[in-house]
Amino acid sequence: MKLVLFDKDGHVKTGKNDYDEERHPLSVEGKKHIHISTQDLIYEKGDYFQLDLAEENKYLFVQLNQTLAPSLIYVKDNQWRYDIPLEDNWKESIPEKSFKGKRHYISIREAKPFEIEAYQNLSLNTHDLKDETGAYPHASANVETRNDSTFFAKNAIDGVYANTSHGSYPYQSWGINQQDDAELKIDFGRTVEIDEVEVTLRADFPHDNYWIKGTIQFSDGEETTLQFIKTKDPQSFSIEKKQTEWLILKNLIKSDESSSPFPALTQLAAFGRNLQR
């Protein structure tokens, strides 16, 4: 595999270490584990990582920044492009030090068989972005409040469970802009087997309202109904083992207990196993 850091014009960026006399291209190749390390690099708007793979359908453990937790992702094709989130709209939805400073370590490795086969949260992806990048799981929605990054669908699978406030990090969530037909989709990029769904509602009461009911639809068209309560705690729902390529959370019914028009979702976890090795 080969990882390269490009600028907005498609030129390879360079870095420098403390004891180097010259700058060097930030490009690396390897078979199972690669990394880019540098002590003198400033990220700029438009920069992006491009990973090229010799094979399709690869499970990888990635960490592209010190502020992002390592994450198991699935790359269906043989290329993954990650646009570094430096646009002004992204600032409030990620840690203040994300992609800042001059010293950086970027790591990508092939996942071990036991990591792939383990029972786990299959929807977790700390490196998901608003648009599809070629890495899965990926979250999308038919509405995101004001196109504000603190309310993007990807926030519901980033592993951050802070839900007693709303807005900037660490309280980012999926916001629905008061739209009654709001739907959120998690695309796994391959067939997985799920037997539990966990929903964490945003609980910034009394600013927030909450949903009392929702429906999970699977890729074969089958659906299951979930009943929610007013709580800040994650709510778990066991389901009969289901093989699916994606799931959609829809038919969300708002409580009439509160006059607030603002229900929102902090996390949606889907627990199970990978079927494809």
Side-chain angles (χ1 to χ4, degrees), residues 7-224:
D7 67 16
K8 63 182 178 62
D9 297 316
H11 300 135
V12 179
K13 296 204 66 161
T14 61
K16 186 175 179 294
N17 296 325
D18 290 346
Y19 300 109
D20 292 341
E21 294 184 0
E22 298 181 358
R23 301 183 68 82
H24 54 86
L26 295 176
S27 174
V28 62
E29 293 186 60
K31 290 185 177 181
K32 293 185 178 297
H33 192 172
I34 57 177
H35 70 271
I36 290 176
S37 51
T38 181
Q39 296 170 322
D40 187 3
L41 165 68
I42 300 296
Y43 290 112
E44 300 171 293
K45 290 181 181 179
D47 289 353
Y48 65 94
F49 289 106
Q50 182 171 302
L51 176 69
D52 290 294
L53 301 169
E55 301 174 352
E56 300 178 345
N57 305 315
K58 299 295 289 186
Y59 291 92
L60 305 170
F61 251 101
V62 302
Q63 186 177 25
L64 300 187
N65 188 253
Q66 300 91 316
T67 65
L68 297 175
S71 189
L72 177 65
I73 64 170
Y74 177 79
V75 180
K76 183 162 55 176
D77 298 320
N78 58 7
Q79 188 176 89
W80 175 40
R81 170 170 166 158
Y82 183 90
D83 291 293
I84 297 175
L86 292 175
E87 300 299 327
D88 292 343
N89 188 33
W90 278 90
K91 289 181 179 179
E92 293 190 350
S93 66
I94 55 179
E96 289 181 321
K97 294 184 179 180
S98 292
F99 300 99
K100 304 295 184 183
K102 298 172 64 176
R103 303 176 187 272
H104 304 282
Y105 174 72
I106 299 97
S107 174
I108 298 179
R109 65 173 174 84
E110 288 190 3
K112 305 290 187 181
F114 73 88
E115 295 169 323
I116 299 169
E117 297 165 6
Y119 185 85
Q120 59 191 285
N121 176 9
L122 296 165
S123 66
L124 177 65
N125 183 357
T126 62
H127 289 65
D128 196 26
L129 297 175
K130 175 179 173 61
D131 297 320
E132 189 166 347
T133 66
Y136 299 91
H138 171 63
S140 59
N142 63 346
V143 59
E144 295 168 324
T145 302
R146 299 189 301 274
N147 196 35
D148 182 333
S149 67
T150 62
F151 301 115
F152 283 171
K154 70 100 187 170
N155 298 332
I157 63 170
D158 65 3
V160 179
Y161 281 78
N163 67 341
T164 54
S165 186
H166 69 281
S168 60
Y169 181 88
Y171 298 106
Q172 66 276 12
S173 60
W174 174 49
I176 66 167
N177 203 34
Q178 306 180 48
Q179 188 166 310
D180 290 336
D181 64 347
E183 298 183 357
L184 181 142
K185 180 179 182 180
I186 299 176
D187 188 346
F188 301 105
R190 76 281 190 191
T191 301
V192 298
E193 185 175 76
I194 295 170
D195 64 8
E196 182 182 345
V197 175
E198 181 190 80
V199 176
T200 304
L201 304 177
R202 201 178 69 195
D204 185 16
F205 309 125
H207 171 275
D208 285 348
N209 202 334
Y210 67 99
W211 295 300
I212 59 173
K213 183 187 294 187
T215 298
I216 296 287
Q217 179 184 341
F218 301 100
S219 60
D220 64 0
E222 287 194 11
E223 298 181 351
T224 185

